[in-house]
Structures are given as structure tokens and as C-alpha cells.
Amino acid sequence: MKKQKLFVAKIGGNIIEDQEALDSFLKDFSKVEGAKILVHGGGKSATNLASKLNIKTEMIDGRRITSAENLDIVVMTYAGLLNKTIVSGLQKNNCNAIGLTGADANVILAKKREPKFIDYGYVGDVIKVNDNVINNFLQLGITPVFCAVTHDGDGQLFNTNADTIASEIASAMGNHFEVSLFYCFELKGVLENIEDKDSVIEHINLETYSKLRDTEVIADGMLPKLQNCFEALHKNVNKVHIANAEFIRDNNIKHTTLSL
Amino acid sequence: MKKQKLFVAKIGGNIIEDQEALDSFLKDFSKVEGAKILVHGGGKSATNLASKLNIKTEMIDGRRITSAENLDIVVMTYAGLLNKTIVSGLQKNNCNAIGLTGADANVILAKKREPKFIDYGYVGDVIKVNDNVINNFLQLGITPVFCAVTHDGDGQLFNTNADTIASEIASAMGNHFEVSLFYCFELKGVLENIEDKDSVIEHINLETYSKLRDTEVIADGMLPKLQNCFEALHKNVNKVHIANAEFIRDNNIKHTTLSL
């Protein structure tokens, strides 16, 4: 039997922190037909709140070192203000959204990342996505909206990278759906030349990815993002797109598509 | 056909702000068999965060005047930190909880309270509880945990009194269940004499309520609480209990039961 389609989108700071961009995105996302899931980050808002509360924010390679105090800020910002702003914004557009952390209905179990060279604090790595529960919500016509918070099932919440959550959810939902995963990006896609915003690499597969990495065309923050994409492709996800927010309105704009 | 039983509990600051009391309550609540719902407040935490951020908190008759800034604090505290702490604490006790504001799955629609003598700001009065959606969750074995935040369906979140939310949810769920509503209280129940913590009035009905009000045995903050109770009883709720947290372990301890 042919599987139903599922669209998983991940948005980050460039959309969330800009009220106009967010309103426009939520309007477009609401119009996407069929089953869909939204995953959001929100690092800048957490950093702003921490700063107002005189709590230090420490980042290593773009990852937040999450002390107990910082975890409270992450939960207040991601699961509270941002998640509920997004959910109520989708409801306004007649999209029946529900906001979720990994603890809600036990949808994402994680375990604390072991300190090796770096102690990331309360950062969790995903162990299991409960795809059946998420599928129940989708079958009820409900659109899950995930923030970047997970739990260990033993009362501990964690900060978990939103790109990874999107990849893990998309992979797990491959058991039920034909899944496409969309990473909404500030640029048009992965660029050949960072100076030229139009130099989009339209297709990347495992072979070309390896070349782009070796020649350092792809480096820094783009590497873990693409790693997440290929992990998703290895585990059940059909297509991954890295594109500007406009992609949600027009799938034909220039962007990057990843395949194995 | 005899209706299934549903237990709705509301907890406030005396439980939420005390880690030991909260742990103990969540353990007991998790053991309650059958369908159940938890509603929580959290005013003190919101006031504390406002104070740390140098944002003024203004209360009139125990109700928070909710400016835009205060609404953000309410959403961060109630829907973020407190709700997710409670949800992960219930998961720890094998209770499959899901945290909800009124915006999530559109479960509670409200409208902004019109300014009359007092402008309460972003305070919402409940218009409709979507009992079918809540029933769907309960039938999936999921326990909804509501914080005191609602929405208007047009993108606006509201601060809404938690006692009222508990009463409105209990009433709406009467369409599906035989509902008992438990207001968890710092005292043993409604007292005959506020100086004597043992002077619990064990039964109050409409007739005795009217007398207690006329003779001012019941006054101040207790009046809106009892008003909520009787509204619930008028609309489908079978029993309302006002009792100490211990009641959840031992229904036979001295407490106040309300009936029509």
C-alpha cells in the first residue's frame, strides 16, 4: 500500500526572531496540505533572556553549554514563549497545532550526553521517538509542533539540538509515511561560494558530499547540518531539502536537495 | 450506559512552589486509577520571574493585571517551566502526561475580558472547552496537564484563572464522564473558624452556602473559589472536594465536599 505523505519542516532563529517572517511562514505552513510537523529552535531568545537575568551563556562550536539555570531558561523560552506563540499563530491560520516537548506524551526519550572533552551539561541525545503516538495525533488531524526540549523518562528535561530532533522525528515517521524533510535556511541553500548567495548547489548525494567536504567547500556549521540530513536519508526519509522560507510557497525555487 | 469516572485535580502555589510537596503529589496523582486531568496555577513563580526582570506585578483582588510583558512571563512560567516540570515528573511516575495550554489542539477558546471598572489586560474568559479533543487524549491513555493559559483562536494568548479552567474543564467533560473535581488546598477544607484549622465544614450545599455567605463565615478569596465549584456542579460535575493534598491518598480524611 502506498504510504501517505508527511512534510516535516524545521525553522530556526532567522524566522522565529522576526515577527513578520514568522507570521508569513506560519501562514504558508498552514496551507501545506496533508500531514505535517513543525520543529523549531530559538537560541537567540534564550540567550536574550539569560542576558536579562544576568546568567552567562556559553557556546562551544555553536552548541549551548546547558547549566541547570540555562536549562530553566531554555524550557521557559522554547517550550513556553516560542512554542505557544507558534501554536497560537498556527491556530489563527486554522492549522490545529499542538506544542510538544519530548516529555509530552513521552514522544522523545533522550539520555544525558556523557562529558568527554566537553561537559555540555543538561544536553540530551535522542534515544527513541515514539512514532505511534505522533501518528495518533496526525490521524486526529493535529499538527505537532516540537521545540528543542527532550526528557529522560526519569524527571530530567534536556536541551536537544533542533536540527537533530527534526532529523530523528522525520526518520521515525518513515515507519508510517513517505517523509520529506525541509530545513528552512537563511540562504537559498548550500552554497558553492559563500560570497555568492546565488551559487546554490542544487543536488548533493553521498558521493558529491564527500568531495565537497574534502575540498572544504562545506565546512563549519554546515557539516553537522548535512550530517543530520544524511542520517535521515539513511533511515527512512525520502527527500531532504535545504532552502529559504519561500520554498514552502514555491517548491520550484532554486534550493538544495539531498539524496543518497 | 454508566459513564466512566474522571478525576480532575487542581493544584496551586502551595504544592507547585515546594519541590518535596510537588514530588509527593505527582507520585500520588500518578497512582489514581482511570481517566484523570491535572490543572495547575503558578502565580508565585511568575511574580518571582517578573521581579528578577524588573517588571512590575500588579494584583487586584488576587487577580494579576496582565500587561503584554506580564503575559510573556506568564507563558514562560506556566506553559514553560512549571508545566514541563510537572509533565516530566508525571512521566517519571509512569503517568503518560501531556502539557497543554488552551491553544494546543485548540482545547480552550477564550475571549479578552472587557475592561469595565478594571482593565485586567491580557486576561481571557473561557468561551468553549473542546471536550471531544480532550476525550480523544484520555481514550489514548494520555493524562492532560493544563496550565492557566488560553487563546482566542486569532493568535492571542491569555492569562486565565486556574480555578476557573479546572471548573470549566470538569463541566465540559461531564458530557463523557462521571466527573469529580478536587481543589487541592493548603488547609484541610473550608473552615468554620479561620483561627481553628480543624474546624472543617464537611458538607456545603446551595442552601448552607447562602447562609455561610450571609453570615460572612465565607468571604474574600474563598468566595470566587466556591462560585467556581457551584458553577461546575450546576453544569454536569458530580462532586467537588476542597481538601488538603493528602486527600488524593486517603479520600476519608476530613475535608469539604460540595453538592447542590
Side-chain angles (χ1 to χ4, degrees):
Chain A
M1 201 177 80
K2 198 160 175 291
K3 283 177 178 169
Q4 257 187 289
K5 287 185 181 182
L6 171 68
F7 178 68
V8 180
K10 187 260 163 178
I11 54 172
N14 64 314
I15 299 284
I16 300 167
E17 322 280 339
D18 174 342
Q19 190 62 53
E20 208 174 310
L22 181 62
D23 286 348
S24 165
F25 179 87
L26 296 181
K27 203 170 173 179
D28 293 336
F29 179 82
S30 297
K31 283 184 194 151
V32 173
E33 279 179 30
K36 52 190 183 279
I37 289 174
L38 184 59
V39 181
H40 66 88
K44 275 185 210 161
S45 300
T47 303
N48 286 345
L49 180 61
S51 154
K52 283 184 192 165
L53 291 168
N54 292 314
I55 293 169
K56 207 176 84 180
T57 298
E58 201 183 340
M59 310 284 286
I60 295 182
D61 292 337
R63 302 274 164 142
R64 186 176 304 267
I65 307 297
T66 311
S67 67
E69 273 181 323
N70 276 291
L71 179 66
D72 284 358
I73 283 170
V74 158
V75 175
M76 286 195 283
T77 314
Y78 298 178
L81 194 55
L82 297 179
N83 190 265
K84 299 319 167 192
T85 299
I86 291 170
V87 166
S88 62
L90 289 172
Q91 291 290 349
K92 177 183 176 173
N93 287 291
N94 296 314
C95 170
N96 193 14
I98 192 169
L100 299 170
T101 66
D104 295 294
N106 195 24
V107 281
I108 312 175
L109 262 181
K111 65 170 182 182
K112 193 168 185 292
R113 187 174 299 168
E114 292 288 341
K116 279 184 198 162
F117 304 105
I118 301 164
D119 183 354
Y120 285 96
Y122 292 103
V123 164
D125 292 315
V126 176
I127 299 175
K128 181 177 166 39
V129 172
N130 284 314
D131 51 284
N132 288 323
V133 177
I134 298 173
N135 189 34
N136 282 333
F137 293 151
L138 292 168
Q139 298 308 328
L140 289 170
I142 293 173
T143 295
V145 177
F146 289 91
C147 66
V149 173
T150 59
H151 81 140
D152 70 353
D154 202 28
Q156 183 61 55
L157 295 165
F158 294 125
N159 178 19
T160 295
N161 180 269
D163 281 356
T164 309
I165 287 184
S167 163
E168 293 279 355
I169 288 172
S171 302
M173 296 317 292
N175 296 328
H176 307 269
F177 293 89
E178 186 191 316
V179 182
S180 71
L181 172 57
F182 163 44
Y183 282 106
C184 181
F185 202 42
E186 63 269 34
L187 303 170
K188 290 183 181 174
V190 181
L191 301 181
E192 181 90 44
N193 171 9
I194 194 77
E195 310 279 300
D196 176 4
K197 305 297 180 207
D198 271 321
S199 65
V200 176
I201 309 171
E202 296 197 43
H203 295 280
I204 304 179
N205 61 25
L206 267 179
E207 199 188 327
T208 54
Y209 173 52
S210 159
K211 277 183 199 157
L212 289 165
R213 215 170 32 180
D214 292 347
T215 54
E216 290 182 20
V217 171
I218 297 171
D220 304 325
M222 210 57 218
L223 282 176
K225 198 177 267 288
L226 290 185
Q227 200 59 43
N228 276 324
C229 296
F230 280 106
E231 272 172 29
L233 290 166
H234 277 298
K235 293 187 281 188
N236 267 337
V237 172
N238 295 71
K239 279 182 193 163
V240 180
H241 306 282
I242 298 179
N244 189 264
E246 276 179 60
F247 172 77
I248 205 164
R249 271 198 303 276
D250 176 7
N251 293 351
N252 296 318
I253 58 158
K254 208 188 233 194
H255 72 281
T256 304
T257 299
L258 295 98
S259 57
L260 289 182
Chain B
M1 201 176 82
K2 202 164 173 291
K3 283 177 179 171
Q4 259 188 290
K5 285 184 182 184
L6 171 69
F7 179 68
V8 180
K10 186 262 164 176
I11 54 173
N14 64 314
I15 299 283
I16 299 167
E17 322 280 339
D18 174 342
Q19 189 62 53
E20 209 175 308
L22 181 62
D23 286 349
S24 165
F25 178 86
L26 296 182
K27 203 169 173 181
D28 294 335
F29 180 81
S30 297
K31 284 184 192 149
V32 173
E33 280 178 29
K36 52 188 184 281
I37 289 173
L38 184 58
V39 181
H40 66 87
K44 276 185 208 162
S45 300
T47 303
N48 286 345
L49 180 61
S51 155
K52 283 183 191 166
L53 291 167
N54 292 315
I55 292 169
K56 206 176 83 178
T57 298
E58 201 185 340
M59 310 283 286
I60 295 182
D61 293 337
R63 303 274 163 140
R64 186 176 304 267
I65 306 297
T66 310
S67 66
E69 274 181 321
N70 276 292
L71 179 66
D72 284 358
I73 284 170
V74 157
V75 175
M76 287 196 281
T77 315
Y78 298 178
L81 194 55
L82 297 178
N83 190 265
K84 300 317 168 194
T85 299
I86 291 170
V87 166
S88 62
L90 289 172
Q91 291 289 349
K92 177 183 177 176
N93 287 291
N94 298 312
C95 170
N96 194 14
I98 192 168
L100 300 169
T101 66
D104 295 294
N106 195 23
V107 281
I108 312 175
L109 262 182
K111 65 171 184 181
K112 193 166 185 290
R113 187 173 300 167
E114 292 288 341
K116 276 185 201 161
F117 303 105
I118 302 165
D119 183 356
Y120 285 97
Y122 293 103
V123 164
D125 291 314
V126 176
I127 298 175
K128 181 176 163 43
V129 172
N130 283 314
D131 50 285
N132 287 324
V133 178
I134 299 173
N135 189 35
N136 282 333
F137 293 152
L138 292 169
Q139 298 307 328
L140 290 170
I142 293 174
T143 295
V145 177
F146 289 90
C147 67
V149 172
T150 58
H151 80 140
D152 69 353
D154 203 28
Q156 182 62 55
L157 295 166
F158 294 124
N159 178 19
T160 296
N161 180 270
D163 281 356
T164 309
I165 287 184
S167 164
E168 293 280 355
I169 288 172
S171 302
M173 296 317 291
N175 295 330
H176 307 269
F177 293 88
E178 184 190 318
V179 183
S180 70
L181 172 58
F182 164 41
Y183 282 105
C184 182
F185 202 42
E186 63 269 35
L187 303 170
K188 291 183 180 173
V190 180
L191 301 181
E192 180 89 44
N193 170 10
I194 195 78
E195 310 278 301
D196 176 4
K197 304 297 180 206
D198 272 321
S199 65
V200 176
I201 308 171
E202 299 196 43
H203 296 280
I204 303 179
N205 60 26
L206 267 180
E207 198 187 327
T208 55
Y209 173 52
S210 158
K211 276 182 200 159
L212 289 164
R213 218 172 30 182
D214 292 347
T215 54
E216 290 180 20
V217 171
I218 298 171
D220 304 325
M222 210 56 218
L223 281 177
K225 197 177 267 290
L226 290 185
Q227 199 59 43
N228 276 325
C229 296
F230 280 106
E231 272 172 29
L233 289 166
H234 277 298
K235 292 188 279 187
N236 266 338
V237 173
N238 295 71
K239 278 181 196 167
V240 180
H241 306 283
I242 298 180
N244 189 265
E246 275 179 60
F247 172 77
I248 206 166
R249 272 197 305 278
D250 176 6
N251 294 351
N252 295 316
I253 59 158
K254 207 187 232 192
H255 72 279
T256 303
T257 299
L258 294 98
S259 57
L260 289 182

